[in-house]
Amino acid sequence: MAADQPIPVVTDLAGVSVRKYTTDQVILDGIDWTVRAGEHWALLGANGAGKTTILRLVGATMHPTEGTVEVLGHRLGRVDMRELRSRIGFVSSAQKVPVDQTAHTVVLTGATGTVQPLWRKYDDDTKARAHELLAELDLKDLADRPYGVCSGGQRARILIARALIADPGLLLLDEPFNALDLPSREDLIDAMHRLAATRPRLTTVTVTHHLEELAPNIGHALLLRDGRVLARGPVDEVLTGARMTECFGRPIEVGRLDGRWLARSARPRAQA
């Protein structure tokens, strides 16, 4: 793409609000947010801030109560949601996959968007592609290992390979580091960093609670508080101590070391 051409918009939320019909509870209130091709966003906020609801909107699994949501050039309400979802990769430790099947088979199910494999749908090229993705994510030797006996970190990377096999235009990661130990977390961060380097048009949105889980390629962040946007934009402008303190409601100190983020709760200094 020429340098003077605009970068395509992957998803755009304009004046988006979501309310529960039964109680009229406000879940999201007046959200404006634009994500462009090749950007990597972190979505942060306390529990109940609205992160999961935003992910459901951009993942084409629900409609807003007010406002417009456009994903991959299509406006929700004017597109077949099932077809749109086939172009969106989704990764969550809670998603259902066949735990008794091999890692290679689990990746194949991403090509059909099914829980169980549909063997007649997978040609030799698709099967080879699944092996390539496993190798790319340092899982080549696990191709024939049952998913259920893989470690948490290995499972997370298998699910990313599963999401990528359909060549999605958008990759959503819902707390992918949940319950991972330190080595597994670092392996996953390294894998995401490599993917960003080898796929310059890959667009990702990662929901997390911890700055330490952000890979160095994360360039933008959206902070939510009580269903509203507190801040959005480049990480250096958004992930500040002042804004994180306002977002989470307690004093937070933020730092950065070798491209990685650090955060801790600031404690009052003892009186002399």
Side-chain angles (χ1 to χ4, degrees):
M1 180 177 295
D4 58 347
Q5 290 184 334
I7 301 175
V9 172
V10 173
T11 184
D12 183 69
L13 280 65
V16 167
S17 295
V18 173
R19 293 179 176 83
K20 284 188 177 181
Y21 289 106
T22 54
T23 63
D24 204 36
Q25 177 188 355
V26 176
I27 308 300
L28 295 176
D29 187 12
I31 303 295
D32 296 314
W33 183 39
T34 300
V35 176
R36 299 185 180 276
E39 291 181 345
H40 302 281
W41 282 78
L43 185 55
L44 299 106
N47 289 334
K51 303 184 300 298
T52 297
T53 302
I54 284 188
L55 216 61
R56 291 183 63 194
L57 288 168
V58 300
T61 62
M62 69 176 294
H63 292 87
T65 307
E66 299 175 8
T68 60
V69 177
E70 294 193 1
V71 183
L72 299 174
H74 298 281
R75 181 171 295 186
L76 300 192
R78 301 180 182 177
V79 63
D80 185 328
M81 299 276 273
R82 293 169 299 179
E83 182 178 344
L84 181 56
R85 282 196 295 271
S86 70
R87 300 172 56 197
I88 301 170
F90 179 74
V91 175
S92 168
S93 59
Q95 67 192 113
K96 295 180 179 180
V97 294
V99 296
D100 58 329
Q101 297 287 346
T102 66
H104 182 257
T105 299
V106 170
V107 175
L108 284 176
T109 63
T112 47
T114 56
V115 174
Q116 294 297 328
L118 302 179
W119 291 108
R120 294 182 180 179
K121 300 286 187 178
Y122 311 135
D123 57 21
D124 290 342
D125 288 342
T126 303
K127 294 175 182 178
R129 175 64 175 152
H131 279 296
E132 291 171 0
L133 286 166
L134 287 171
E136 185 176 2
L137 288 158
D138 290 334
L139 298 166
K140 181 179 180 180
D141 295 337
L142 303 184
D144 296 324
R145 180 179 297 182
Y147 177 85
V149 301
C150 292
S151 70
Q154 291 165 346
R155 291 186 188 188
R157 284 180 283 150
I158 291 168
L159 292 178
I160 290 174
R162 179 182 185 272
L164 291 175
I165 195 169
D167 194 24
L170 174 64
L171 180 60
L172 307 176
L173 301 106
D174 187 10
E175 298 189 44
F177 304 94
N178 187 34
L180 297 187
D181 60 20
L182 181 60
S184 296
R185 183 192 76 180
E186 293 303 302
D187 287 343
L188 182 54
I189 290 171
D190 289 344
M192 293 305 303
H193 191 46
R194 290 196 307 272
L195 287 174
T198 57
R199 290 175 167 80
R201 306 308 292 174
L202 178 66
T203 305
T204 66
V205 176
T206 302
V207 171
T208 181
H209 287 100
H210 307 289
L211 294 191
E212 292 81 2
E213 295 174 348
L214 300 183
N217 60 280
I218 298 288
H220 296 78
L222 174 71
L223 296 184
L224 285 174
R225 181 169 183 178
D226 298 329
R228 297 179 177 88
V229 174
L230 179 63
R232 61 179 174 271
V235 289
D236 290 332
E237 299 175 8
V238 173
L239 301 182
T240 65
R243 282 180 163 161
M244 291 292 289
T245 294
E246 185 178 359
C247 183
F248 289 94
R250 65 181 300 163
I252 294 177
E253 294 179 352
V254 175
R256 206 169 186 181
L257 178 64
D258 297 330
R260 294 288 300 279
W261 291 93
L262 305 169
R264 70 184 184 93
S265 180
R267 298 187 181 279
R269 294 181 180 177
Q271 295 294 326

